[in-house]
Amino acid sequence: MSIIDIHTHLHPPRLFRAIRRWFAEHSDWNLSHPTEPEAVARSLRDFGVERFVFCSYAHKAGMAREINQWLSETSRKLDRYGLPLATVHVDDPDAAQYYEEALNDGCVGLKIHEDVQKFAIDDARLEPIHALTAKSAGFVLVHVGPIPWQDDTANGPARVGAVLEKHPGLTVVVAHMGVPETDKYLELTREHPNLYLDTTMAFTHRLTMRCQATSETFDAYQHNIVFGSDHPNLPHHYSQEVEEAAARCSSQEIKRMVFSENARQLLSGHL
C-alpha cells in the first residue's frame, strides 16, 4: 500500500529538545523515536512511506523566519522526500513577507497549532497569509484548539468555515479528524470540498483524541480524509497509526484514497 503521510514533525534540534522535554514533564507519553531528519526519513521509508509532509511552529514572535529557512534546507537535504510546511507568528510585522519567501523556497503551505501558538486560524492578522497560501496552491494544516488536553475548541468548525468562506480558493486540513467535532467538520466538506481531515492519532492511544468515525464514515467522506501520523512524536509504534486508519477502510479503493490519492491531490503542484 502506497502511503503519503501528510502530518509529521521535524524541528530544529534545540526546539525539538524543548518539545520532548515538555512532553516528559507534562504528560505520560513515552516519546522515544529518533528526531534527526535523516533518521526520521529513513524510518518512514522503512514503513513504506512514499512521501511525507513535515512541519514545525513558531511559538513566539521573531523566530519563524529562521525556522522556515531550516525547514526548506532540511527538505533539500532529504532530496524533497519530505515536503515542509512553513510557520508564521501573527506578532511579526513582516510575516507575509517571510512567508512568501518560504513558499518560494519550497514550502507547500502553512502549519498552525492554535494551542501552542496562542492564535487562531481565523485571526484577522492571517488574512494576507491565507491569501498567499491559496495563490500558491498550498494548504493550511491546522491543529484546532487545545486537544488532547481539553475539548473546548471555541467552535472550531464555525471558525474554519468562516475562513473558507472568505478564501474559497484555500485548502485546509484539520488535524486529528477534527476531534471532538468530527461530524461538524465532515458536514462542512459538503459545502467546502477543499476541506480535509487527517487521521493523525485519532484512532490510537488517547481517549481524549479518539474519534468514533466508522468504516461507513470513511465510505461517505473518502475524498476528504487523508492519512497523518505525528511521527516521530508518537507514544506508540508507527504501524498502529497505519493499522487503525486502514481498519476503517472497507475496500482497497478507499485505502488508496485515504492513504495516498487525496494527499497526492493536495500536493499536486509540488510533487
Side-chain angles (χ1 to χ4, degrees):
M1 178 174 64
S2 181
I3 299 173
I4 298 176
D5 191 331
I6 210 75
H7 188 156
T8 72
H9 290 272
L10 292 176
H11 306 279
R14 182 177 176 184
L15 178 56
F16 222 145
R17 287 193 296 270
I19 291 168
R20 284 289 175 91
R21 188 164 56 247
W22 187 94
F23 276 100
E25 293 172 354
H26 295 87
S27 80
D28 60 355
W29 293 17
N30 178 22
L31 301 180
S32 58
H33 298 292
T35 61
E36 297 79 10
E38 292 79 6
V40 172
R42 187 163 53 249
S43 67
L44 289 170
R45 286 191 190 277
D46 289 344
F47 295 133
V49 174
E50 172 189 337
R51 212 68 170 273
F52 69 100
V53 176
F54 64 92
C55 59
S56 185
Y57 34 73
H59 63 278
K60 61 182 179 181
M63 62 189 299
R65 184 191 294 271
E66 185 176 349
I67 290 174
N68 289 340
Q69 291 169 348
W70 183 89
L71 291 166
S72 294
E73 180 59 26
T74 297
S75 178
R76 285 190 286 272
K77 287 180 179 177
L78 297 175
D79 295 324
R80 298 287 285 175
Y81 173 49
L83 300 173
L85 291 171
T87 184
V88 301
H89 198 283
V90 294
D91 289 336
D92 290 331
D94 59 343
Q97 177 186 341
Y98 68 65
Y99 180 56
E100 187 169 23
E101 291 170 359
L103 292 173
N104 291 333
D105 199 25
C107 288
V108 299
L110 176 71
K111 169 65 185 294
I112 298 172
H113 194 308
E114 291 190 342
D115 190 42
V116 170
Q117 296 183 284
K118 305 305 178 189
F119 58 83
I121 188 173
D122 57 330
D123 190 304
R125 292 169 290 180
L126 287 173
E127 288 296 304
I129 304 298
H130 292 326
L132 284 168
T133 305
K135 181 181 178 182
S136 73
F139 68 95
V140 178
L141 173 61
V142 57
H143 181 128
V144 179
I147 60 163
W149 321 114
Q150 299 175 42
D151 275 354
D152 184 6
T153 69
N155 202 358
R159 296 190 293 104
V160 169
V163 170
L164 290 168
E165 288 288 343
K166 289 182 181 178
H167 301 275
L170 182 66
T171 298
V172 173
V173 178
V174 177
H176 310 294
M177 287 295 290
V179 172
E181 295 155 313
T182 303
D183 290 344
K184 292 181 180 179
Y185 284 112
L186 289 172
E187 189 60 31
L188 263 182
T189 67
R190 299 189 183 281
E191 184 179 352
H192 300 287
N194 48 337
L195 172 64
Y196 297 78
L197 304 185
D198 82 30
T199 64
T200 302
M201 286 189 67
F203 303 105
T204 52
H205 191 67
R206 291 283 154 181
L207 291 177
T208 50
M209 277 171 61
R210 193 164 179 84
C211 177
Q212 300 304 314
T214 64
S215 59
E216 288 78 11
T217 307
F218 274 53
D219 285 353
Y221 297 96
Q222 60 184 277
H223 297 288
N224 296 90
I225 299 173
V226 290
F227 175 74
S229 70
D230 251 351
H231 188 69
N233 272 354
L234 283 173
H236 49 258
H237 196 272
Y238 188 89
S239 62
Q240 285 184 247
E241 289 292 310
V242 175
E243 290 165 3
E244 292 288 351
R248 286 153 178 84
C249 298
S250 63
S251 69
Q252 289 301 316
E253 177 61 19
I254 292 176
K255 280 185 185 178
R256 190 177 69 86
M257 298 301 297
V258 169
F259 280 91
S260 61
E261 293 311 305
N262 292 337
R264 206 180 310 281
Q265 178 178 325
L266 280 175
L267 297 168
S268 60
H270 306 279
L271 293 176

